[in-house]
Amino acid sequence: MSTQTKFLLDESKLPRRWYNIAADLPVPLAPPLHPGTLQPLGPDDLAPLFPMELILQEVSTEREIEIPEPIREVFRLWRPSPLVRAHRLEKALGTPAKIYYKYEGVSPAGSHKPNTAIPQAWYNAQAGIRKLTTETGAGQWGSSLAFAGALFGIDVTVFQVRVSYDQKPYRRALMETYGAKCIASPSNLTASGRAILEKDPNHPGSLGIAISEAVEVAATNDDTKYSLGSVLNHVLMHQSIIGLEAMLQFEMAGDDPDVIIGCTGGGSNFAGLAFPFIGQQLRGGRKRRIVAVEPSACPSLTRGKFAYDFGDTAHLTPLTKMHTLGSTFTPPGFHAGGLRYHGMAPMVSHLKELGLIEATAYPQTACFEAGVLFARSEGIVPAPEANHAVKSAIVEALRCKAEGRSEVIVFNLSGHGHFDMSAYSSYFGGQLVDQGYDEKELAMALAGLPSVPA
Ligand SMILES: *Cc1c(COP(=O)(O)O)cnc(C)c1O
């Protein structure tokens, strides 16, 4: 039995190409629709928001896309991220299962998000863009794009969801350290923000609203483009570097995962780890269980409707077919801010509909309990988002114990929780509650889904 704990890779072995699952789909993705005409979108429709190279990646069906050398050079600052065998967690659970985690918290911003922030900033810089707007929930994406902007000389403006802006002042300080400007959303700076504030001056904000504000600024300023931290096909493709590395690291470990787990907000870290493995299966390889984990308070994959919907609250973005709680739905202000999104990546939703992945949901206190056990066994304090994956891995490991099976489980530890310690304090102080969402509001948001001709 191997007692090795940590698996890294030679720089010479680091992936040189991203993996694009669109090449291996048995059924193609439903096309995104123009918000005005409800007709399928053309590449030019996205040109006000994104540089052409990223638009071409968004619609590409090439299986592999070269990672440009300047991007790989930045990645070498922290990649490969380690694949770690959680021996001590296994022992604490008394499970015959082998638990591995891929640790993305080693990036400068503390999560997987720089894996796409770096390429997005670089392609924008190549296209001569000097200003980017974006939104951030927990602050992870904002810090990642701020970091990337600093490397490539781009001014970054971040609309941060109000509740996390108030809860996480140090995330804002980090964004400012990298040179970005941070604005609490909803704000007075945009028509979308003002419309929300008029109805409710104390609105806690949501990712859907922050996206509207960032998109509005990019769409109304010729010199400014927009950058999204999750959901889109090209973002998921950039994250595939996680799974591509993990495959090589599992070869070194002499193991092969039976269960692959990731938490899902917009779906990017989950897809990053899982899609290369799913691709192998779609090309005739072995079938594994792939589990997406979301918060019970914002359960788009497990409780949402698979339908065309807007990506934002003010309906400025294209419509995509996805699992959605309705674009007007405001999830309760729980602590995993990065998972408070009404929709899901269309590609993740599509795979769910095709039966290629499973989805499950847990309330936040159970997730914090799992995260604390993980920290006390493995030393790393997970981000509240990542606690959802930890919880699911523990559930699977305990199932293996009950069934006497020694399956191999891997989960994506998408980030560390060093900026989320106030959430841990609330948990230890017994103030963390499992908020349900408002069923009436959900029903209303779903009833308000746009009707799209079949
Ligand atoms: C943003 C974030 C998530 C959720 O986003 P996905 O696109 O679903 O990955 C999960 N974990 C961490 C640490 C994050 O920062």
Side-chain angles (χ1 to χ4, degrees):
M1 190 196 98
S2 164
T3 53
Q4 193 175 339
T5 297
K6 189 163 146 188
F7 301 88
L8 290 165
L9 289 171
D10 266 10
E11 276 192 10
S12 65
K13 287 221 178 136
L14 289 176
R16 291 168 166 265
R17 282 173 284 276
W18 289 299
Y19 169 64
N20 179 11
I21 199 168
D24 291 316
L25 289 177
V27 183
L29 207 58
L33 306 180
H34 189 281
T37 64
L38 300 186
Q39 293 302 306
L41 212 63
D44 288 344
D45 293 320
L46 292 172
L49 296 184
F50 304 107
M52 200 41 77
E53 278 300 311
L54 290 176
I55 296 174
L56 293 176
Q57 289 182 4
E58 184 63 20
V59 299
S60 171
T61 51
E62 293 288 311
R63 180 170 293 125
E64 295 184 315
I65 292 181
E66 183 90 21
I67 309 175
E69 171 55 24
I71 295 174
R72 288 193 286 123
E73 190 189 315
V74 178
F75 282 171
R76 287 196 285 271
L77 289 174
W78 73 92
R79 304 211 70 86
S81 69
L83 179 75
V84 186
R85 172 94 183 265
H87 288 292
R88 289 175 184 80
L89 178 63
E90 291 168 16
K91 205 176 261 172
L93 297 171
T95 178
K98 294 182 185 176
I99 306 174
Y100 289 85
Y101 59 92
K102 179 78 169 151
Y103 184 41
E104 288 296 314
V106 292
S107 83
S111 76
H112 64 289
K113 292 204 169 79
N115 297 338
T116 184
I118 296 296
Q120 289 195 47
W122 186 79
Y123 285 112
N124 272 288
Q126 288 298 104
I129 303 304
R130 289 286 163 265
K131 286 186 190 172
L132 281 174
T133 60
T134 195
E135 71 292 324
T136 197
Q140 293 268 22
W141 170 243
S143 350
S144 301
L145 194 67
F147 159 53
L151 296 192
F152 299 119
I154 294 180
D155 283 343
V156 175
T157 300
V158 182
F159 289 90
Q160 183 171 13
V161 175
R162 159 71 66 184
V163 21
S164 101
Y165 184 93
D166 294 339
Q167 276 173 359
K168 297 182 180 176
Y170 297 128
R171 270 284 165 201
R172 176 173 145 212
L174 180 60
M175 290 183 247
E176 288 170 349
T177 302
Y178 288 132
K181 193 165 138 201
C182 191
I183 295 158
S185 166
S187 79
N188 276 316
L189 299 182
T190 66
S192 330
R194 286 190 294 272
I196 300 279
L197 289 176
E198 244 164 59
K199 280 189 226 145
D200 180 1
N202 297 316
H203 199 288
S206 71
L207 273 172
I209 294 167
I211 292 173
S212 295
E213 295 206 271
V215 166
E216 185 183 321
V217 172
T220 51
N221 288 281
D222 282 347
D223 64 345
T224 306
K225 298 243 184 264
Y226 166 71
S227 188
L228 185 62
S230 185
V231 176
L232 298 174
N233 298 336
H234 68 269
V235 177
L236 273 49
M237 185 188 75
H238 294 158
Q239 294 295 352
S240 68
I241 194 160
I242 302 172
L244 293 169
E245 283 179 5
M247 281 179 156
L248 298 171
Q249 290 165 314
F250 267 113
E251 268 174 37
M252 293 171 64
D255 264 329
D256 190 29
D258 301 298
V259 187
I260 298 173
I261 298 168
C263 66
T264 44
S268 73
N269 86 85
F270 165 77
L273 177 63
F275 281 12
F277 289 95
I278 299 175
Q280 235 180 20
Q281 177 190 330
L282 291 171
R283 296 191 302 277
R286 96 170 249 243
K287 179 165 170 49
R288 303 172 174 90
R289 282 184 55 220
I290 314 279
V291 184
V293 193
E294 55 186 14
S296 306
C298 189
S300 47
L301 270 176
T302 50
R303 295 287 313 277
K305 225 165 145 173
F306 183 61
Y308 270 108
D309 195 11
F310 295 94
D312 71 322
T313 306
H315 297 175
L316 304 175
T317 70
L319 289 85
T320 56
K321 203 163 186 193
M322 60 180 175
H323 289 89
T324 178
L325 299 167
S327 61
T328 56
F329 177 75
T330 303
F334 57 89
H335 279 283
L339 306 183
R340 283 182 75 237
Y341 183 56
H342 69 271
M344 182 50 59
M347 192 65 87
V348 171
S349 291
H350 187 61
L351 295 181
K352 171 81 171 23
E353 287 302 294
L354 292 175
L356 290 164
I357 65 170
E358 308 167 26
T360 180
Y362 295 106
Q364 65 175 351
T365 51
C367 295
F368 271 89
E369 184 188 10
V372 169
L373 174 63
F374 183 83
R376 290 177 187 176
S377 311
E378 298 293 321
I380 298 169
V381 179
E385 293 84 1
N387 280 343
H388 292 73
V390 176
K391 169 68 185 171
S392 173
I394 290 175
V395 167
E396 293 296 334
L398 292 176
R399 174 190 54 78
C400 288
K401 181 179 179 177
E403 296 173 357
R405 297 164 72 100
S406 58
E407 292 176 15
V408 176
I409 298 166
V410 63
F411 69 92
N412 202 0
L413 187 57
S414 50
H416 67 65
H418 296 175
F419 287 91
D420 304 281
M421 296 318 294
S422 69
Y424 278 87
S425 293
S426 303
Y427 172 70
F428 294 125
Q431 291 128 10
L432 210 66
V433 290
D434 290 331
Q435 289 152 301
Y437 47 83
D438 184 337
E439 289 278 359
K440 254 199 238 142
E441 197 199 330
L442 175 60
M444 258 170 60
L446 286 176
L449 284 178
S451 54
V452 171

